[in-house]
Amino acid sequence: MSASAAKVSKKELNSNHAGGDETSEKEQQEAIEHIDEVQNEIDRLNEQASEEILKVEQKYNKLRQPFFQKRSELIAKIPNFWVTTFVNHPQVSALLGEEDEEALHYLSRVEVTEFEDIKSGYRIDFYFDENLYFENKVLSKEFHLNESGDPSSKSTEIKWKSGKDLTKRSSQTQNKAGRKRQHEEPESFFTWFTDHADVGADELGEVIKDDIWPNPLQYYLVPDMDDEEGEGEEDEEDEEGLEDIDEEGDEDGEEDEDDDGEDGEDDEAEDD
């Protein structure tokens, strides 16, 4: 493009602007209608993509099942795997009191099963060994989404042993380290099985299904923060001990030098 062609006079700009203002409302309406038609095509493709993604997810969900089974068999060889995993998870641990942790020491297996139509819901099963708290061998909670998109849930009724209902426990207790918990304990983890009030906002179910279940090992292997803090305090104490030794050594050195100086002065006096 030549320099003369690239230059647009102020008069030409004003002329173009006036032409734009003359665009009729009819033309604008036609443009809006065409945009709406194109948008409908985009939405149709998005729906088609969602259906295809769902089919792929269902396919791979079936392929994962043998690996989940193998993983469960291996996890069974590790004592306290699931209680450690829950305690190490920041969101789940906030829901656990001391007695909840004690009860979860009997938790031997966790299974998450998505329904054939993944969009319709899922179930979480907790398998327990014989324990002091309840008679159930399995506690389950199911989440359903009906055709209209309304969520609902149902769960196993917990058959508590006499005097062991953790949902009615005291609000204050003492943790394993012996430090008093001066604040109120959270509601028992087990109240989750009876809470069906706001299924759409059930964060615990979503956390277990989407965060913990895909890879529980990452939370089991999280280092114990109390141990790390203890090691840090020991290191600080060791460093302080070394500093004290160094200071004592310096003081001893200074005293030796003073003694040597005094001995030298005494020798000189005797010579005189």
Side-chain angles (χ1 to χ4, degrees):
M1 181 182 293
S2 65
S4 58
K7 293 180 180 179
V8 180
S9 68
K10 187 174 182 181
K11 181 178 180 181
E12 289 173 330
L13 287 172
N14 290 336
S15 175
N16 290 337
H17 181 66
D21 291 340
E22 293 173 359
T23 301
S24 67
E25 291 184 4
K26 181 180 179 180
E27 290 175 332
Q28 291 182 35
Q29 185 60 37
E30 288 177 353
I32 290 173
E33 290 174 358
H34 288 311
I35 291 171
D36 187 49
E37 291 173 1
V38 173
Q39 189 61 51
N40 288 335
E41 290 298 313
I42 293 172
D43 293 342
R44 184 181 63 79
L45 288 173
N46 288 340
E47 290 178 6
Q48 184 178 343
S50 297
E51 293 174 0
E52 294 295 326
I53 291 170
L54 180 59
K55 290 178 182 178
V56 171
E57 183 59 35
Q58 288 174 328
K59 172 186 174 182
Y60 281 93
N61 190 44
K62 291 180 180 179
L63 292 175
R64 295 186 193 106
Q65 296 311 308
F67 295 97
F68 285 148
Q69 181 62 34
K70 180 63 175 178
R71 187 181 70 185
S72 291
E73 293 171 1
L74 294 170
I75 286 175
K77 299 178 180 181
I78 304 174
N80 301 323
F81 179 91
W82 285 108
V83 65
T84 302
T85 298
F86 287 161
V87 168
N88 285 345
H89 191 284
Q91 289 173 269
V92 179
S93 64
L95 304 175
L96 300 177
E98 181 185 1
E99 289 182 287
D100 289 330
E101 291 182 32
E102 292 296 331
L104 289 174
H105 274 82
Y106 297 95
L107 178 61
S108 59
R109 184 156 57 103
V110 174
E111 297 286 347
V112 175
T113 304
E114 295 190 83
F115 300 146
E116 186 66 25
D117 180 1
I118 295 176
K119 292 189 297 183
S120 67
Y122 60 95
R123 184 181 71 252
I124 304 177
D125 298 313
F126 300 80
Y127 294 80
F128 287 86
D129 295 329
E130 180 69 28
N131 63 80
L132 305 173
Y133 297 92
F134 43 79
E135 302 290 348
N136 311 70
K137 299 297 182 183
V138 183
L139 297 179
S140 303
K141 187 166 185 177
E142 293 185 11
F143 298 85
H144 297 270
L145 200 64
N146 60 26
E147 294 180 358
S148 62
D150 296 324
S152 63
S153 67
K154 63 180 182 179
S155 59
T156 307
E157 179 183 353
I158 303 177
K159 299 177 181 178
W160 296 102
K161 293 183 178 180
S162 178
K164 294 295 184 179
D165 188 343
L166 299 183
T167 63
K168 299 177 181 179
R169 69 183 178 199
S170 173
S171 64
Q172 285 196 347
T173 187
Q174 189 174 14
N175 65 14
K176 294 178 182 179
R179 295 188 297 267
K180 293 286 185 180
R181 291 181 179 178
Q182 301 298 337
H183 59 282
E184 281 197 358
E185 284 279 316
E187 279 190 336
S188 172
F189 169 84
F190 293 92
T191 60
W192 175 68
F193 289 95
T194 59
D195 184 4
H196 306 288
D198 191 3
V199 181
D202 194 313
E203 295 183 4
L204 180 56
E206 293 295 324
V207 165
I208 294 173
K209 179 176 76 77
D210 296 331
D211 192 17
I212 294 177
W213 176 247
N215 184 9
L217 186 63
Q218 64 178 324
Y219 292 106
Y220 175 79
L221 295 176
V222 170
D224 191 316
M225 297 305 295
D226 290 336
D227 289 345
E228 286 191 345
E229 290 175 2
E231 290 174 2
E233 290 173 359
E234 288 177 4
D235 291 341
E236 289 178 2
E237 289 175 0
D238 291 342
E239 290 176 2
E240 290 175 358
L242 290 173
E243 290 175 359
D244 292 340
I245 292 172
D246 291 340
E247 289 176 359
E248 290 175 2
D250 293 340
E251 290 175 0
D252 291 342
E254 291 175 358
E255 289 176 0
D256 290 342
E257 289 177 1
D258 292 341
D259 292 341
D260 292 342
E262 290 176 359
D263 291 342
E265 290 176 359
D266 293 340
D267 293 339
E268 289 177 2
E270 290 176 1
D271 291 341
D272 291 341

